[in-house]
Amino acid sequence: ARRVLGLAQFRPADLVTTAWAFSRLLLENPPLLSAIAARSMPKITEFRPDELAMTAWSWAKLRVADPPLFPAISSQAIRSIMSLPPQELAMTAWSLAKLSYEDFPLLDSISSQSLSIITELRPQHLASTSWAFSTIGVVNRPLLAALASQASRRIIESRPAERANIAWSLSSLAVLASPLLNSLADVAISSLRIFDSHDIAQTVWAFAKLGMKDPPLLDSIAASARPTISEFGPRRLASTAWSYATLACEHTPLMDAIAAAALHKLTDFLPQSLANISWSFAQLVSLNHPLMDSIAAASLPQIPDFGTQSISNTSLAFAKLYVPNETLLQSLSQESLRKISEMETQNLANISWAYATRGFADGPLMQAISAAAITKIHEFTSRPRRGGICETLDFIADLLALCWSLAFSTRMTDAVADPLRGHVVALGRSLDSLAGAAAGDGDGAEAAGVRAPGAPFACVNLPGIIVVLKPENWEVNRGDPDVRRAQVEWGLLSDWIARVLPRERYPLVHSSEFDFGFIHRLDVPSSGLVLAATNFAGHSLLRFQLDTHELCREYVVVCAGPMDSQRVEVSRRLSVDRANMKSCVCGSGSPARTFFKVEVHAWPQWDPDNLDTLVAIKIATGRHHQIRAHMTHLQHPPVADGKYGRVEVMLRDKDIYSDTVWFESNFHRPVVPLFLESRPNRRAERKLAVGGAALDPTSRQPWLRGPELDLPGLT
């Protein structure tokens, strides 16, 4: 009290020193601080530039906002900004961010002065300034680029915390500074031994946020983090797991250590950390039952505090790992309904996907999501789009994911489908305008040309869409720009379409980012029709039709063994073994649904034990090797399939392949080498004939169109 009464005699320097001392000791004394602020206001013009910075820092350190004081400090600081030394300049920016005080005129002045003295800024100043602009959310690219460049030059002088702060700041604002991050990676690897949990978590988060996968750094961070993982708090555990999952880095020892540490601290986890850690394990398809069960138990009482992103991530995680917990799903569904108006389109898409794939088709929730999606479309189309092509593409992707979920859960009605289809195509047309692609007249007629033997051919040309007849031995190489062509023994469909459609009119078909326009694929050994888009409007329409099952994909397959003629559907999840790129049934895989109907059983006349089956197939999803994997799961792999065929029927024989001869003689087309990549198929020493009447290849058409395929969901 005596100190407060004596403030009338204090000079500016005395006021600053007193406030600094209390803030340095983290001693909160509201009456004293209010009195110092009131006494400082009339004398603010007498404060030196460094005293202004120290005053702002003192209030920020104690996280005490004084509305009248800060505008006065700001006004005076702008006038004297040129006189602020580097440390006080960074300190002022840090103070504004710490108190979330958005003073854009002062921030502009700080930015201009920082640029003019950028070479004088030490690592601490660089870290504080970049952190401040990131925390407030101001993207000043010239300043951030200069800060990144200077930080890269002075990387050796910086401390781990400063490096982590700079990397975190640039990543938060999505500013890609590759030279700086490369330098950070090199230095971090050699100095990880002195990193604490905060530095480790922030560093790996920064790389993940910008999608920069640096395997040596990730391996080093994992090795450094595992021995000290028990020191990580909930947020840092969740952040580290999120980073490795985002970069698709399957570091099992580290994730196991994170799971073990998290199990002991889950009662301290807040909703966002609970959601992030569950999402991370789901993204890596790493099912840890004790962890997921504990996350569910810890989440239930906190569901009302879950934000929309946390609801979305948690729903997605439990659905993707196929963890049965009806109580949690019901609670998340109810909370989603309460917060539906706050959700972004991506949240709506993720939640609808989660409930659709779990077979938990919540009627009221799906109806609310459909209505909210239409509202989001109107909001998106009525506001300026600063993100250009990327923003529109992301929005279309979210809408299509939502459409897939509604269709998969049988909740897609005409009243919902019609407006969604129209909006998706309209958004595609807007992309064509931005990209300068061919619009209404872009019918892909150039792709027709002269049909050459063994080469693809555009058999249908429509505005924005072509239908390509793909022969066997051609690869639909969607999204694979790094294919090693010297090792490819077959044709690439992307090469063909690039030759026949000029880039200036059809940029979409020249872009690996958009799968060269192909919206689905066929295995190399298969022949058939491939749908391709030649502009964004066509691409959006085809994707919508595919995702909502308006397009039917039907096939004819000859499989080994006598298949049960009553079986009409397989809905088993599939995952891909990245080591051999084979798909297999897996409980935590992606949803997959295949319909099929047995058409003919055929056998060699002299060997009735080798009965084969001709099957008509329709797929409702398009997973990697879906037909081959589902049929192999049923122990009826396609004949002559060296990749999926059963060992007991794959005998070596250099002279004759009975199934191959049978197939070629009856279907008048060759069996290509990929089917025989493992070993030849069954051995036979006699000429084979089909039991009963010989097959007429032209009868394949009625199998696909006729009444024999009048099955649920199969037309």
Side-chain angles (χ1 to χ4, degrees):
R2 287 194 296 270
R3 296 284 288 178
V4 172
L5 291 173
L7 286 177
Q9 288 75 44
F10 274 37
R11 297 168 301 168
D14 301 327
L15 295 169
V16 172
T17 302
T18 303
W20 178 86
F22 274 76
S23 62
R24 187 73 176 176
L25 296 172
L26 297 178
L27 297 175
E28 294 188 32
N29 189 316
L32 176 61
L33 290 174
S34 297
I36 291 176
R39 183 60 183 163
S40 299
M41 292 283 292
K43 299 185 176 184
I44 201 71
T45 56
E46 303 174 23
F47 279 55
R48 299 195 313 268
D50 60 312
E51 291 172 342
L52 292 169
M54 287 294 294
T55 304
W57 181 88
S58 300
W59 262 256
K61 185 71 174 178
L62 292 174
R63 298 192 178 186
V64 176
D66 191 289
L69 177 61
F70 265 77
I73 291 176
S74 172
S75 178
Q76 188 64 20
I78 290 174
R79 295 191 187 95
S80 58
I81 199 76
M82 302 288 290
S83 306
L84 272 178
Q87 182 170 341
E88 282 70 22
L89 192 66
M91 187 185 297
T92 304
W94 181 90
S95 303
L96 294 175
K98 197 71 174 176
L99 291 175
S100 302
Y101 186 70
E102 297 180 351
D103 189 320
F104 296 111
L106 179 55
L107 287 169
D108 288 342
S109 299
I110 291 172
S111 173
S112 299
Q113 179 62 9
S114 297
L115 281 169
S116 67
I117 60 170
I118 195 70
T119 56
E120 301 176 31
L121 299 184
R122 300 200 306 271
Q124 181 185 2
H125 309 147
L126 297 168
S128 296
T129 305
S130 60
W131 180 88
F133 277 77
S134 173
T135 301
I136 295 177
V138 176
V139 183
N140 187 312
R141 295 198 178 276
L143 173 63
L144 294 170
L147 291 171
S149 177
Q150 182 67 3
S152 183
R153 282 192 288 268
R154 306 191 72 158
I155 195 73
I156 301 299
E157 307 169 34
S158 59
R159 295 176 296 178
E162 293 163 350
R163 297 170 197 155
N165 274 342
I166 294 171
W168 178 89
S169 303
L170 296 175
S171 302
S172 295
L173 295 175
V175 176
L176 182 60
S178 298
L180 171 61
L181 291 178
N182 290 335
S183 299
L184 281 171
D186 293 339
V187 173
I189 289 174
S190 61
S191 57
L192 277 172
R193 64 185 182 279
I194 59 174
F195 274 40
D196 61 16
S197 61
H198 171 270
D199 302 332
I200 289 173
Q202 279 206 336
T203 300
V204 70
W205 183 91
F207 280 79
K209 185 71 173 177
L210 292 176
M212 293 189 65
K213 190 172 183 177
D214 188 308
L217 175 64
L218 293 171
D219 289 343
S220 299
I221 286 178
S224 178
R226 282 171 55 201
T228 60
I229 202 71
S230 60
E231 301 172 13
F232 283 53
R235 287 186 62 183
R236 291 169 189 169
L237 286 170
S239 174
T240 305
W242 179 90
S243 301
Y244 276 80
T246 299
L247 293 173
C249 183
E250 299 178 16
H251 203 292
T252 304
L254 175 63
M255 297 304 291
D256 288 345
I258 289 174
L263 277 169
H264 294 292
K265 301 179 179 181
L266 278 178
T267 53
D268 299 326
F269 274 60
L270 296 177
Q272 184 177 357
S273 296
L274 287 168
N276 282 348
I277 202 163
S278 62
W279 178 90
S280 303
F281 278 82
Q283 192 73 4
L284 294 173
V285 197
S286 176
L287 180 56
N288 185 308
H289 281 293
L291 177 63
M292 297 305 292
D293 291 342
S294 298
I295 287 174
S299 297
L300 277 170
Q302 298 191 61
I303 290 293
D305 299 323
F306 272 47
T308 56
Q309 189 66 45
S310 296
I311 294 172
S312 168
N313 284 351
T314 305
S315 303
L316 197 67
F318 277 78
K320 194 166 188 176
L321 291 175
Y322 211 67
V323 178
N325 194 308
E326 299 299 319
T327 304
L328 178 64
L329 286 175
Q330 288 174 357
S331 296
L332 288 169
S333 171
Q334 293 167 5
E335 195 63 24
S336 298
L337 280 170
R338 281 193 285 270
K339 296 177 178 174
I340 199 79
S341 62
E342 305 170 26
M343 291 188 175
E344 298 296 330
T345 314
Q346 186 181 53
N347 301 144
L348 298 172
N350 287 345
I351 292 171
S352 62
W353 183 92
Y355 284 87
T357 57
R358 281 302 314 273
F360 196 79
D362 186 311
L365 177 59
M366 289 299 191
Q367 291 171 8
I369 287 175
S370 301
I374 299 298
T375 301
K376 290 295 179 185
I377 291 172
H378 291 309
E379 292 176 358
F380 183 82
T381 54
S382 63
R383 65 174 172 80
R385 278 169 259 169
R386 299 177 181 176
I389 288 179
C390 292
E391 184 182 8
T392 304
L393 280 171
D394 290 343
F395 188 73
I396 291 175
D398 292 336
L399 284 180
L400 290 172
L402 174 62
C403 292
W404 184 94
S405 303
L406 292 173
F408 193 80
S409 63
T410 68
R411 295 286 176 180
M412 177 68 85
T413 63
D414 290 342
V416 175
D418 291 341
L420 282 175
R421 183 191 302 104
H423 287 301
V424 166
V425 174
L427 288 167
R429 290 197 188 98
S430 71
L431 284 175
D432 285 326
S433 299
L434 291 170
D441 62 337
D443 57 1
E446 297 93 328
V450 179
R451 183 173 183 179
F457 179 73
C459 53
V460 177
N461 297 280
L462 299 170
I465 297 171
I466 60 173
V467 181
V468 180
L469 178 60
K470 183 192 90 69
E472 62 273 6
N473 249 1
W474 282 81
E475 179 184 357
V476 187
N477 57 317
R478 300 168 61 210
D480 189 11
D482 298 322
V483 63
R484 292 170 289 181
R485 300 186 176 219
Q487 299 180 19
V488 172
E489 299 174 358
W490 45 78
L492 298 176
L493 210 57
S494 63
D495 287 346
W496 172 81
I497 201 168
R499 284 196 303 269
V500 298
L501 296 179
R503 184 187 297 270
E504 58 272 14
R505 292 194 66 219
Y506 303 95
L508 180 70
V509 304
H510 292 263
S511 172
S512 62
E513 185 179 355
F514 302 107
D515 296 330
F516 308 105
F518 305 125
I519 64 161
H520 65 103
R521 62 180 301 278
L522 283 177
D523 291 340
V524 173
S526 303
S527 64
L529 301 177
V530 176
L531 283 165
T534 57
N535 62 25
F536 284 108
H539 190 270
S540 299
L541 176 59
L542 288 176
R543 280 293 313 277
F544 177 87
Q545 292 177 328
L546 189 68
D547 290 343
T548 58
H549 308 163
E550 290 183 2
L551 284 175
C552 297
R553 288 172 286 178
E554 297 177 344
Y555 307 83
V556 173
V557 176
V558 178
C559 66
M563 182 180 286
D564 181 2
S565 60
Q566 300 303 311
R567 185 179 294 277
V568 296
E569 177 182 350
V570 175
S571 296
R572 302 300 297 269
R573 290 172 171 249
L574 297 175
S575 65
V576 180
D577 184 343
R578 297 298 175 186
N580 57 22
M581 293 307 294
K582 287 179 64 174
S583 291
C584 61
V585 169
C586 175
S588 59
S590 300
R593 185 179 293 167
T594 306
F595 300 94
F596 55 88
K597 182 179 186 296
V598 170
E599 294 294 337
V600 175
H601 286 131
W603 63 92
Q605 285 182 344
W606 298 290
D607 190 2
D609 291 336
N610 281 347
L611 190 66
D612 289 333
T613 308
L614 183 74
V615 187
I617 293 177
K618 174 183 173 180
I619 58 175
T621 53
R623 306 305 175 193
H624 178 75
H625 292 175
Q626 176 174 320
I627 293 174
R628 298 163 77 182
H630 270 168
M631 298 195 81
T632 300
H633 172 69
L634 298 175
Q635 300 184 11
H636 296 289
V639 297
D641 189 343
K643 195 176 187 75
Y644 285 84
R646 291 180 296 174
V647 173
E648 60 267 26
V649 298
M650 303 293 285
L651 304 177
R652 293 184 181 278
D653 184 351
K654 64 181 179 180
D655 298 319
I656 185 170
Y657 314 139
S658 64
D659 285 329
T660 301
V661 173
W662 178 84
F663 191 89
E664 291 182 354
S665 64
N666 285 281
F667 287 89
H668 306 296
R669 53 156 290 186
V671 176
V672 295
L674 184 64
F675 273 142
L676 308 175
E677 63 184 19
S678 297
R679 56 182 72 88
N681 209 319
R682 291 196 291 263
R683 175 169 52 201
E685 297 178 356
R686 303 180 184 88
K687 182 178 178 181
L688 298 179
V690 178
L695 283 176
D696 177 4
T698 61
S699 66
R700 284 176 288 169
Q701 297 303 321
W703 299 341
L704 295 180
R705 295 201 301 261
E708 292 182 342
L709 283 184
D710 187 15
L711 300 174
L714 181 59
T715 58

